[in-house]
Amino acid sequence: MDDKRNWITALLLSAAILLGWNFVSEKFFPTPDKPDVTKTVAGTTAAVGPATADPALPGQPAAAPGVPAAPAMQVLRPIETVLAEGQRIPIETPKLAGSINLVGARIDDITLTKYRQTIKKDSPPVRLFAPGGTKAAYFASIGWSAQGVAVPGPTTVWTASGTKLTPTTPVTLSWNNGAGQNFRIEYSVDKDYLITAKQTIANTAAAPVTASSFALIDRLGKPTDPHEQTSWTNHIGPTGFVDDKSEFDVDYKDIDKGEAFKYGSAAWLGFTDKYWLAAVIPAKGERVTASLAATTADNYRALFARPYTQIAPGKQSSTTSRIFAGAKEVSVLENYTDNEGITRLSHAIDWGWFDF
């Protein structure tokens, strides 16, 4: 009889705990409001700092022509206002929405359609990239440096062949400097988070030209929410697979001291948040140098550059860069590592002691 009484008591207590816990937790332990990702991804800085000398491309002269300079002081405007200006090529995939800015050929408008900023049903999608001149400015750029010839830059207006970038419809941008050099960027995108950019410079002039290409990510500000800060279990900030190792030791505070972290090789590099990643990726095994630095106060840059090469008259040179802009989904990152040859991209997730 006592055993039966104990079983009945245990069952009643278990039922009380299961049914009553939700009421108790909501009343006495309310869940804190989920932070607005648009504020935590790229900070809430009020204005871009004053222009300063741009850090030299690794292995190249300081202030290399064609590399976007640090922005001048400017009043920041709403994202919607900036996106409504100028010409843009839409980006549409199963997981991404956004656009390419034809001014500067920047990928500066990316939202992650599978993820919401809060748990509310009508919450907008997470915004990862935003154009310059906004408080969440965060974008990828590719371009050229050259000796003695004009190259496209941040204010160059490109001509597009194609109306929308999707997994089945690539887009080509073109620009001519008027001195015999034609520049092309052939953009393609997959069904997940990888954008590929094939850069070509064709030399139709009578003399050879010497040029280099690069890819970079610029970011204004850093996460301000305490849950989005680096901890002993999770790295948030500059990262990459550089000099044959995963970089988890460089934080925003290190770059804020004015130090530029330079590397002799890079498989990929960029910035990681708790759930999101933006990275630039050279071709597998390609010789590049790279750096993580600040162009001005609170403006951060991840960049890789290729060595200068000479392009003879009537010849052209092509290079391929890739841009990852998306969520740190384990299966997707592992697929890029195993099948796309992006070394240790899966290690963008800081597993810490559980790396094995």
Side-chain angles (χ1 to χ4, degrees):
M1 181 65 69
D2 289 339
D3 288 342
K4 290 183 179 180
R5 187 182 298 112
N6 290 339
W7 274 108
I8 293 171
T9 302
L11 290 173
L12 290 174
L13 287 174
S14 298
I17 291 172
L18 291 173
L19 296 175
W21 173 248
N22 285 341
F23 170 77
V24 173
S25 63
E26 288 178 6
K27 185 173 181 62
F28 297 102
F29 308 104
T31 302
D33 292 336
K34 196 164 185 174
D36 184 343
V37 177
T38 59
K39 294 180 180 178
T40 60
V41 166
T44 55
T45 307
V48 178
T52 61
D54 205 28
L57 281 172
Q60 300 189 30
V67 181
M73 183 72 74
Q74 57 183 301
V75 176
L76 301 182
R77 298 182 295 157
I79 292 174
E80 294 75 17
T81 301
V82 177
L83 289 176
E85 299 172 346
Q87 296 176 301
R88 291 183 168 272
I89 298 296
I91 299 173
E92 187 177 299
T93 80
K95 295 183 177 181
L96 300 179
S99 60
I100 300 171
N101 193 346
L102 290 182
V103 178
R106 284 177 174 173
I107 300 175
D108 63 357
D109 172 27
I110 292 289
T111 58
L112 311 181
T113 58
K114 298 292 185 180
Y115 296 94
R116 301 289 170 178
Q117 294 176 15
T118 71
I119 60 175
K120 295 180 179 178
K121 291 183 178 180
D122 60 348
S123 177
V126 167
R127 172 168 291 282
L128 185 62
F129 281 175
T134 69
K135 70 178 182 181
Y138 194 8
F139 51 81
S141 299
I142 61 172
W144 291 264
S145 305
Q147 298 174 350
V149 298
V151 295
T155 59
T156 298
V157 180
W158 292 75
T159 300
S161 173
T163 57
K164 182 186 292 186
L165 179 61
T166 74
T168 58
T169 58
V171 170
T172 298
L173 308 186
S174 58
W175 181 76
N176 188 303
N177 67 1
Q181 286 77 46
N182 299 308
F183 297 84
R184 293 196 312 274
I185 304 173
E186 299 172 52
Y187 280 117
S188 59
V189 64
D190 69 4
K191 63 181 178 60
D192 290 311
Y193 303 116
L194 198 65
I195 298 172
T196 300
K198 181 181 178 182
Q199 300 169 247
T200 300
I201 174 173
N203 182 23
T204 62
V209 297
T210 301
S212 167
S213 59
F214 61 83
L216 61 83
I217 291 177
D218 275 331
R219 176 174 186 157
L220 171 63
K222 47 186 173 285
T224 56
D225 187 273
H227 295 97
E228 293 289 335
Q229 306 298 318
T230 290
S231 67
W232 67 277
T233 57
N234 188 31
H235 175 75
I236 292 173
T239 189
F241 190 77
V242 290
D243 289 347
D244 298 320
K245 69 180 183 67
S246 295
E247 179 60 271
F248 293 136
D249 296 328
V250 178
D251 291 316
Y252 289 114
K253 64 182 180 181
D254 300 315
I255 295 178
D256 285 338
K257 297 175 183 178
E259 183 177 357
F261 295 85
K262 298 185 178 182
Y263 308 96
S265 66
W268 61 272
L269 76 164
F271 300 98
T272 180
D273 293 287
K274 189 172 183 179
Y275 302 114
W276 329 119
L277 172 70
V280 284
I281 307 154
K284 183 179 181 180
E286 187 177 25
R287 180 189 169 199
V288 299
T289 51
S291 66
L292 297 166
T295 55
T296 64
D298 220 30
N299 284 266
Y300 304 98
R301 174 172 290 177
L303 174 149
F304 75 78
R306 302 175 176 92
Y308 276 108
T309 185
Q310 190 174 86
I311 306 165
K315 300 295 183 180
Q316 66 180 29
S317 175
S318 296
T319 55
T320 298
S321 303
R322 290 175 287 182
I323 299 157
F324 180 96
K328 295 192 294 188
E329 299 171 3
V330 175
S331 60
V332 171
L333 295 176
E334 288 180 343
N335 175 64
Y336 287 141
T337 296
D338 296 339
N339 299 319
E340 297 293 334
I342 305 175
T343 306
R344 298 287 184 92
L345 187 64
S346 55
H347 283 55
I349 300 174
D350 183 3
W351 294 107
W353 293 346
F354 299 98
D355 182 64
F356 65 89

